[in-house]
Amino acid sequence: MTKTLFKLDNVIQNYVWGSKTAMGELFGIANPDNQPQAEIWMGAHPNGCSKVAGSGESLAEIIAQDPHGVLGEYTAERFGELPYLFKVLSAAKPLSVQVHPSKAKAMAGFAKENQQGIELSAANRNYKDANHKPELVYALTFYKAMNGFRPVAEIVALFQQAGIDTLRDEVDALSALPNEQGLAEFFSVVMNLTGERKQQAIAELVARVELPAKTALAREAFELIQEFSQDFSQGNSDDIGLFSPLLLNVVELEPGEAMFLHAETPHAYVKGTGLEIMANSDNVLRAGLTPKYMDVAELIANTQFHSIAADEIKLAPFCSGNKLGYPIPVDDFGFEIIALDAEDKAQYVRGAEIIFCIEGQATLSCGSEFVTLAAGESAFVCNKAKVYQYHGVGTLARAFN
């Protein structure tokens, strides 16, 4: 294989929470069967591997033919695969509240479940691979999410406003022990609610959020709980995830803003379209807003009970010429936004790269090879290209490692 630059055909995942209109409105992507178009996957993940446009050859096959040339020496030796998965994610309904394991716990959990003989496709499988799954999301539209535990004082105040008599003693205990230990104990109680006590607590919550809130934070949380209650069983949900807006920071990214989601941190995407880049993993431990399997003990063992203020969550980009970069505390991936100005510019390759056209049109070239991208299209650049040129008018997103 001598080519270094490929236009990609990417898999669209039709998950039920996806938007039926956003991909068409943003990128002109057809949806003739009116399916929910939840995610566009760009990468070599086996559950949705990109292909070379026009040839049908998979990106995984391209990498396997020459891993050191395609990925670069460091990436091939360090990871042995393309270490990231790049996505467009478009949520019309909330995704599950979830936590991703650390690298060490993913390796241990994967080995343990393999030893137990649990099939990779089994509903009760927690660890699909031995990798962690840190993520960055960059908003293309207004993008609502939950990310990280609120400060304990906020959690106490919100639960007190919610007036859940069933949990009054536990809320008082958290107020008396406003630290990580107290938060861990309180979260464990909420997640382990069962039977009549769980039904009573949720009934009290659903009834209370219909009443006027006393603070802006409570109003935002109560409105979200009402939405979740309607999304799950028409207001009769017994999903423990209904408590999540009282526990987790509610964040709305403006278009062009980004945030990072650390391992062992509970989070959920609620609504909007964005770019998401993550380590190449499918490990998810769920904490609500889902009918899928939940292993509460494993979830709690993989959760860090650090609080963070909502105004500390958004990432501050750093500017370099026509690029915006973002501080990312892992070496699995990097991410940049490139503003095109119709002039030719050179880009030195770092690892293996995927370039996605957010808007406008761009041409990438390497020697005699070139690829033209319109909005919604992407290209793969092999490490052995060393350097490529780009020009056009619009905006690109660059994923690399």
Side-chain angles (χ1 to χ4, degrees):
M1 182 193 68
T2 57
K3 290 192 67 176
T4 61
L5 184 60
F6 305 91
K7 191 171 185 176
L8 297 176
D9 280 337
N10 300 306
V11 173
I12 295 179
Q13 306 284 12
N14 302 116
Y15 305 141
V16 294
W17 47 261
S19 171
K20 295 180 179 180
T21 59
M23 300 294 189
E25 292 169 354
L26 287 171
F27 307 122
I29 294 173
N31 188 12
D33 298 325
N34 198 34
Q35 293 287 313
Q37 295 177 315
E39 296 181 346
I40 302 173
W41 284 28
M42 297 172 280
H45 195 284
N47 291 341
C49 187
S50 300
K51 294 183 177 180
V52 176
S55 78
E57 191 172 17
S58 75
L59 185 54
E61 291 170 333
I62 295 291
I63 293 169
Q65 290 170 20
D66 182 15
H68 285 80
V70 174
L71 301 175
E73 295 290 335
Y74 172 79
T75 301
E77 293 297 327
R78 167 78 171 79
F79 297 100
E81 63 179 4
L82 186 68
Y84 60 84
L85 178 61
F86 196 20
K87 297 180 182 180
V88 182
L89 184 150
S90 187
K93 297 179 180 179
L95 284 68
S96 60
V97 184
Q98 56 193 249
V99 166
H100 305 307
S102 67
K103 178 73 171 177
K105 289 182 180 177
M107 292 174 68
F110 184 66
K112 180 181 178 181
E113 291 187 341
N114 284 346
Q115 191 174 35
Q116 292 171 337
I118 302 174
E119 294 291 332
L120 281 174
S121 59
N124 64 331
R125 179 92 191 200
N126 289 312
Y127 299 94
K128 304 295 181 65
D129 51 63
N131 204 9
H132 62 170
K133 194 185 176 187
E135 303 172 355
L136 175 142
V137 61
Y138 172 89
L140 298 176
T141 67
F142 283 101
Y143 195 92
K144 184 170 285 189
M146 296 183 290
N147 186 4
F149 286 110
R150 295 177 183 271
V152 171
E154 273 187 26
I155 294 173
V156 169
L158 288 170
F159 271 89
Q160 287 174 340
Q161 276 204 59
I164 304 165
D165 290 336
T166 302
L167 293 173
R168 187 176 302 278
D169 289 346
E170 286 80 4
V171 173
D172 289 345
L174 178 59
S175 180
L177 190 64
N179 56 24
E180 291 183 17
Q181 180 187 340
L183 180 55
E185 292 172 357
F186 182 74
F187 183 74
S188 180
V189 167
V190 172
M191 292 305 303
N192 282 291
L193 287 170
T194 56
E196 189 174 320
R197 190 163 190 251
K198 175 183 177 183
Q199 297 290 341
Q200 182 64 28
I202 289 177
E204 291 168 357
L205 173 68
V206 171
R208 178 60 186 87
V209 299
E210 297 291 339
L211 301 176
K214 297 178 182 178
T215 64
L217 274 180
R219 181 179 62 185
E220 179 182 55
F222 289 3
E223 288 176 352
L224 207 51
I225 292 166
Q226 290 176 46
E227 290 180 27
F228 292 166
S229 181
Q230 292 165 6
D231 282 333
F232 290 85
S233 303
Q234 291 74 51
N236 298 311
S237 173
D238 64 352
D239 193 306
I240 205 68
L242 291 178
F243 288 103
S244 57
L246 305 180
L247 290 160
L248 307 181
N249 290 295
V250 178
V251 182
E252 185 166 47
L253 302 178
E254 297 175 7
E257 292 185 325
M259 66 179 177
F260 192 80
L261 299 103
H262 293 268
E264 301 188 319
T265 300
H267 62 275
Y269 298 146
V270 177
K271 186 177 292 186
T273 301
L275 296 176
E276 186 184 27
I277 183 168
M278 65 196 69
N280 194 33
S281 172
D282 198 23
N283 284 328
V284 175
L285 296 156
R286 296 176 181 85
L289 301 184
T290 180
K292 295 182 179 180
Y293 175 71
M294 287 171 49
D295 185 334
V296 173
E298 199 69 19
L299 166 75
I300 292 171
N302 281 273
T303 299
Q304 292 190 27
F305 294 93
H306 301 319
S307 291
I308 184 171
D311 59 7
E312 297 175 8
I313 289 175
K314 295 179 183 180
L315 294 177
F318 48 88
C319 183
S320 177
N322 64 322
K323 299 176 187 175
L324 290 179
Y326 294 85
I328 296 172
V330 296
D331 64 353
D332 303 71
F333 58 85
F335 179 79
E336 287 182 344
I337 295 296
I338 301 173
L340 302 174
D341 56 10
E343 294 184 6
D344 267 352
K345 288 188 168 59
Q347 175 63 58
Y348 288 93
V349 182
R350 180 174 165 185
E353 301 192 2
I354 295 177
I355 308 299
F356 177 80
C357 185
I358 296 174
E359 58 184 359
Q361 183 170 295
T363 298
L364 313 181
S365 61
C366 179
S368 61
E369 300 176 62
F370 71 93
V371 167
T372 298
L373 300 177
E377 296 181 331
S378 59
F380 183 80
V381 185
C382 296
N383 180 265
K384 62 186 177 182
K386 302 304 179 187
V387 64
Y388 60 95
Q389 307 287 323
Y390 62 85
H391 70 269
V393 177
T395 308
L396 299 176
R398 174 179 174 240
F400 56 90
N401 72 285

